Amino acid sequence: SIGEKAFYGCSGLTGSLTIPNSVSIGYEAFCDCSGLTSVTIGNGVASSNSIIGRDAFSNCSGLRTITIGTGVTDIKINAFYSCSNLTTVNFNATNCTFMGSSGYPVFENCGTSLVTLNIGEGVTIIPDNAFKECKSFTSITCAATNPPVIYTSTFDSGLSPMTPLTVPCGTTADYQRYWYYFRNIQEDCSNISDDYMSELSIFPNPTNNILNISSS
């Protein structure tokens, strides 16, 4: 564990910070560490538990990128409060069941700079209030083939339903069903292999009435 206020106000702590799995980060552990630019927490074995405490990174004004790794299971209220220059959140937690509250969301007062959200392919659930007060996303990408479980307050009601949501190829219908708030869903089919495409057969060409499509 990293104790309460362990690095409180260490403005000289600069650059990137990586915290491994199974680490509990205490109350205000890195509060006011204005020199931090990126933080990665809990990447590794998905079953491990990493906890981000209350106000753990609040007022980290230099923070640009946060990666919430596979092992993070619990993010307390105001964990990233007033990180005013934060632009990108990479959310890879496979089984995070708690993130802040309606009154004290994780990203409260982060402003309009937070524009990009990337959700990993192994994510199965995104807790209630997870991205409350995140109204300025201009890009949300979810790599999960099966849409993660979300709740009515997972995303802020002020977020535009026309915010582009990019999903894996062939999953639009599922996302329309389970993430129905979003009305601008786009598919990323860039990872379809050449081998797969070479097995695709379309005939006859030209056609006048019936077009046959064959693929394994």
Side-chain angles (χ1 to χ4, degrees), residues 73-148:
T73 56
D74 191 334
I75 306 175
K76 303 299 185 183
I77 62 176
N78 285 157
F80 297 97
Y81 174 82
S82 202
C83 293
S84 55
N85 290 300
L86 183 64
T87 63
T88 303
V89 172
N90 301 312
F91 186 84
N92 300 319
T94 57
N95 192 29
C96 183
T97 56
F98 182 87
M99 284 183 70
S101 68
S102 59
Y104 300 96
V106 168
F107 298 100
E108 184 177 5
N109 203 35
C110 282
T112 58
S113 62
L114 182 50
V115 294
T116 302
L117 172 62
N118 300 311
I119 301 167
E121 61 181 349
V123 175
T124 59
I125 184 172
I126 304 177
D128 209 9
N129 303 305
F131 299 104
K132 187 176 177 61
E133 290 209 4
C134 299
K135 305 174 184 178
S136 300
F137 286 134
T138 59
S139 172
I140 298 176
T141 300
C142 188
T145 303
N146 295 316

Side-chain angles (χ1 to χ4, degrees), residues 6-169:
F7 298 95
Y8 184 99
C10 292
S11 58
L13 184 61
T14 60
S16 300
L17 172 68
T18 300
I19 299 174
N21 264 330
S22 303
V23 174
S24 295
I25 305 170
Y27 169 66
E28 292 187 338
F30 295 92
C31 180
D32 285 334
C33 291
S34 57
L36 289 177
T37 57
S38 68
V39 171
T40 300
I41 304 166
N43 265 353
V45 182
S47 60
S48 299
N49 296 330
S50 294
I51 298 172
I52 305 173
R54 177 175 179 174
D55 288 289
F57 295 90
S58 62
N59 297 313
C60 289
S61 58
L63 204 54
R64 300 290 191 276
T65 304
I66 296 167
T67 299
I68 298 170
T70 54
V72 175
T73 56
D74 191 334
I75 306 175
K76 303 299 185 183
I77 62 176
N78 285 157
F80 297 97
Y81 174 82
S82 202
C83 293
S84 55
N85 290 300
L86 183 64
T87 63
T88 303
V89 172
N90 301 312
F91 186 84
N92 300 319
T94 57
N95 192 29
C96 183
T97 56
F98 182 87
M99 284 183 70
S101 68
S102 59
Y104 300 96
V106 168
F107 298 100
E108 184 177 5
N109 203 35
C110 282
T112 58
S113 62
L114 182 50
V115 294
T116 302
L117 172 62
N118 300 311
I119 301 167
E121 61 181 349
V123 175
T124 59
I125 184 172
I126 304 177
D128 209 9
N129 303 305
F131 299 104
K132 187 176 177 61
E133 290 209 4
C134 299
K135 305 174 184 178
S136 300
F137 286 134
T138 59
S139 172
I140 298 176
T141 300
C142 188
T145 303
N146 295 316
V149 174
I150 60 173
Y151 300 88
T152 55
S153 297
T154 294
F155 295 96
D156 195 281
S157 59
L159 178 67
S160 171
M162 295 306 295
T163 302
L165 171 63
T166 303
V167 299
C169 198

